Amino acid sequence: MTISTSPTSSSSPLAERLQAVRAGIADAARAAGRSPDEMTTIVVTKFHPASLVRELALLGVTDVGENRHQEAQAKAAELADLDLRWHFVGQLQSKKARQVRAYADVIHSVDRSSLVEALRSHDGDIDCFVQLNLTDDPARGGVSDRDLEPLVERILDTPGLRMLGVMAVAPIGEEPRRAFQRVREASERVRTLAPSADKISAGMSQDYAEAIAEGATHLRIGTAITGNRPPHG
């Protein structure tokens, strides 16, 4: 398990929310016949200050997620003294790809060939997920179902990328369990091309239990742990 609470800090609201989510994950894992140790919980701290990430680190959090490059870059620099694993979970512009490579450990939103090419590198590998678009709207982030295998093959042929598996967001209006079943089926297709790419990044604050039931290994949880986002411009 990648999150734990410190007994000396268990009275803070943040620690209480973290513990509540940790317990919820454990319950959902047991209900699915899985071990909580199979889950990596990524705390998404979009719009929250670096001080909150520092407090999370004191509570045992090691995996932190960010949606926006500029904010992520600044936090990663300010918190460079901490042993954190940074996950970029938002939409990524190809022109920002090399900058994101510089601080991120994992990119969850690889969804097109031009981005794969922009992430090409001979200076070591970065972990990544292929993002699926579970809607019919091409403007939404993610690769379409019909283009999944070609994109996977492109990633496998590109130096500097190590594919972990698939990522998706459950569409608004669709029952989450049904959406995550589609993600699991896509994961099975990916594993025919890349057997080691068996991870699934799915599930957020409101639907992580359904994601765990369908095999999610990486949970991207924000407000259920961090609380409401502060006002932002």
Side-chain angles (χ1 to χ4, degrees), residues 99-121:
Q99 295 177 61
V100 171
R101 274 194 71 108
Y103 61 82
D105 298 286
V106 189
I107 297 174
H108 289 243
S109 49
V110 176
D111 62 357
R112 60 196 186 279
S113 293
S114 59
L115 179 55
V116 172
E117 192 58 33
L119 289 167
R120 173 188 291 268
S121 175

Side-chain angles (χ1 to χ4, degrees), residues 58-121:
L58 289 172
L59 293 168
V61 169
T62 56
D63 290 85
V64 178
E66 288 290 334
N67 295 67
R68 304 192 308 171
H69 162 60
Q70 193 169 354
E71 182 180 356
Q73 185 180 50
K75 285 183 190 172
E78 183 173 343
L79 301 170
D81 59 304
L82 300 178
D83 187 17
L84 296 172
R85 187 166 167 82
W86 290 93
H87 298 253
F88 191 84
V89 300
Q91 294 308 116
L92 178 54
Q93 295 176 287
S94 296
K95 65 182 180 181
K96 305 286 188 182
R98 301 204 71 78
Q99 295 177 61
V100 171
R101 274 194 71 108
Y103 61 82
D105 298 286
V106 189
I107 297 174
H108 289 243
S109 49
V110 176
D111 62 357
R112 60 196 186 279
S113 293
S114 59
L115 179 55
V116 172
E117 192 58 33
L119 289 167
R120 173 188 291 268
S121 175

Side-chain angles (χ1 to χ4, degrees), residues 8-205:
T8 60
S9 306
S10 58
S11 60
S12 78
L14 182 64
E16 290 171 1
R17 290 192 296 267
L18 182 64
Q19 179 60 30
V21 169
R22 188 184 183 202
I25 290 169
D27 288 345
R30 282 191 290 268
R34 302 176 63 197
S35 166
D37 293 336
E38 296 176 36
M39 319 300 161
T40 295
T41 300
I42 301 154
V43 183
V44 180
T45 58
K46 179 181 179 181
F47 298 134
H48 288 280
S51 58
L52 180 113
V53 181
R54 193 170 290 279
E55 186 177 353
L56 286 165
L58 289 172
L59 293 168
V61 169
T62 56
D63 290 85
V64 178
E66 288 290 334
N67 295 67
R68 304 192 308 171
H69 162 60
Q70 193 169 354
E71 182 180 356
Q73 185 180 50
K75 285 183 190 172
E78 183 173 343
L79 301 170
D81 59 304
L82 300 178
D83 187 17
L84 296 172
R85 187 166 167 82
W86 290 93
H87 298 253
F88 191 84
V89 300
Q91 294 308 116
L92 178 54
Q93 295 176 287
S94 296
K95 65 182 180 181
K96 305 286 188 182
R98 301 204 71 78
Q99 295 177 61
V100 171
R101 274 194 71 108
Y103 61 82
D105 298 286
V106 189
I107 297 174
H108 289 243
S109 49
V110 176
D111 62 357
R112 60 196 186 279
S113 293
S114 59
L115 179 55
V116 172
E117 192 58 33
L119 289 167
R120 173 188 291 268
S121 175
H122 293 282
D123 299 325
D125 291 345
I126 188 169
D127 289 337
C128 71
F129 288 87
V130 172
Q131 182 176 355
L132 311 169
N133 185 351
L134 299 180
T135 76
D136 294 326
D137 180 2
R140 294 288 296 269
V143 64
S144 66
D145 187 71
R146 69 178 179 276
D147 293 329
L148 174 59
E149 280 87 352
L151 184 63
V152 168
E153 291 172 344
R154 182 72 177 269
I155 292 169
L156 296 175
D157 288 340
T158 300
L161 294 175
R162 179 172 50 243
M163 194 170 63
L164 297 185
V166 297
M167 179 274 234
V169 178
I172 296 172
E174 181 175 359
E175 199 281 312
R177 181 74 184 265
R178 187 178 183 88
F180 295 136
Q181 182 180 357
R182 293 161 58 200
V183 179
R184 178 173 55 77
E185 291 166 353
S187 173
E188 291 167 359
R189 289 163 53 195
V190 167
R191 293 202 307 273
T192 66
L193 297 172
S196 64
D198 58 355
K199 305 296 189 288
I200 296 176
S201 172
M204 298 190 290
S205 291

